[in-house]
Each structure stands twice: as structure tokens, then as C-alpha cells.
Amino acid sequence: MSLDVSGKLGEAQSASSEPSAVLAALAAEIEAHRHGYGKLKPKVRKELLSGLAGAFGLLLRHQAHWNWVDLPVTSRAWDLGLKSPNGSHALCLNQVMVRQLTSPEPSTIVLLFNMIAAGNLPDGQPGDHVAIG
């Protein structure tokens, strides 16, 4: 079984898309899969996470001018993430999406994006990579 998250999300990510359209499509995809996420096969979960994390990452990269970075998630594993322009904050995209998909509460991806875009972040100094999300 393969999971295609490119439907509304793909349509919303055209070059002329408003960030709000992409965010709405992301939130809808998260909500559509949230209740059944734990029942998905590992490969399907990985595909879903990759699609959602990639879309959110591209949006933040383009709209908030955050930069791609490899982030340590364990002493031997790294994951793709984003860091703020001065490196004070970092976001592990897959971890954000796992939390979104496993939360009993509705998606907060729009709130997270708005917080980042507004610069409403916890205290941090350049280079700290304070984890958010």
C-alpha cells in the first residue's frame, strides 16, 4: 500500500500559492490521517511523514527564510530540520509531524507556523539551536 499526500497538498503548493492555502492543506492532511496513523504500516507512516515534513519544511524555508540543517536526534542518528537565520532555534521536521499525527488534540501546525513567522520564539542565542515544535 502506498500513501499519496500529494492531492490537495500538492495543489496548494504551486508557486503562486498563498501560505495560508498550504497550511490549510497541511492541517487537513494531518487531520485526515491522525486517527489512523498508529495503524499504518511502518513504510506507509514513513512516506506520510516525509511528505508532510517536506511540505512544511519548504513552506518555512520560503516564507520564514529558515535554513536546512542536520539535527542530532540520538547520539548516532541525525534528521533533517530547519534552523532560524541566526541559528538560535531549530525544528526537527519529522518529530513535529509525529507529534501532530499522534496528538489527541486537533492539528496545531498553523499555530506553529504563525509563531515562527512572527518570530515569537523562546529565548535563544545565535547558534543555540533551541528546539521548538
Side-chain angles (χ1 to χ4, degrees):
M1 174 181 173
S2 179
L3 189 61
D4 181 16
V5 296
S6 64
K8 289 183 181 178
L9 187 55
E11 293 170 16
Q13 281 193 287
S14 72
S16 62
S17 293
E18 290 293 318
S20 59
V22 177
L23 284 169
L26 266 170
E29 287 292 331
I30 289 167
E31 280 306 305
H33 297 289
R34 190 165 54 88
H35 295 292
Y37 177 73
K39 297 175 187 169
L40 296 174
K41 293 182 180 181
K43 181 180 178 184
V44 176
R45 275 190 299 221
K46 185 176 180 179
E47 289 174 12
L48 177 61
L49 282 176
S50 295
L52 294 173
F56 190 58
L58 289 171
L59 181 65
L60 278 176
R61 172 75 182 107
H62 181 70
Q63 295 296 317
H65 308 290
W66 281 40
N67 301 303
W68 298 111
V69 64
D70 286 328
L71 295 171
V73 291
T74 68
S75 62
R76 295 183 178 187
W78 295 75
D79 207 345
L80 181 63
L82 290 169
K83 66 178 179 174
S84 60
N86 71 355
S88 61
H89 296 82
L91 184 72
C92 184
L93 297 166
N94 280 338
Q95 289 179 359
V96 167
M97 289 306 154
V98 167
R99 281 193 292 279
Q100 292 289 313
L101 289 162
T102 58
S103 171
E105 300 298 322
S107 172
T108 58
I109 200 72
V110 175
L111 295 174
L112 178 61
F113 175 83
N114 289 337
M115 179 185 83
I116 292 169
N120 187 12
L121 303 170
D123 291 336
Q125 298 297 317
D128 281 353
H129 287 181
V130 173
I132 58 170

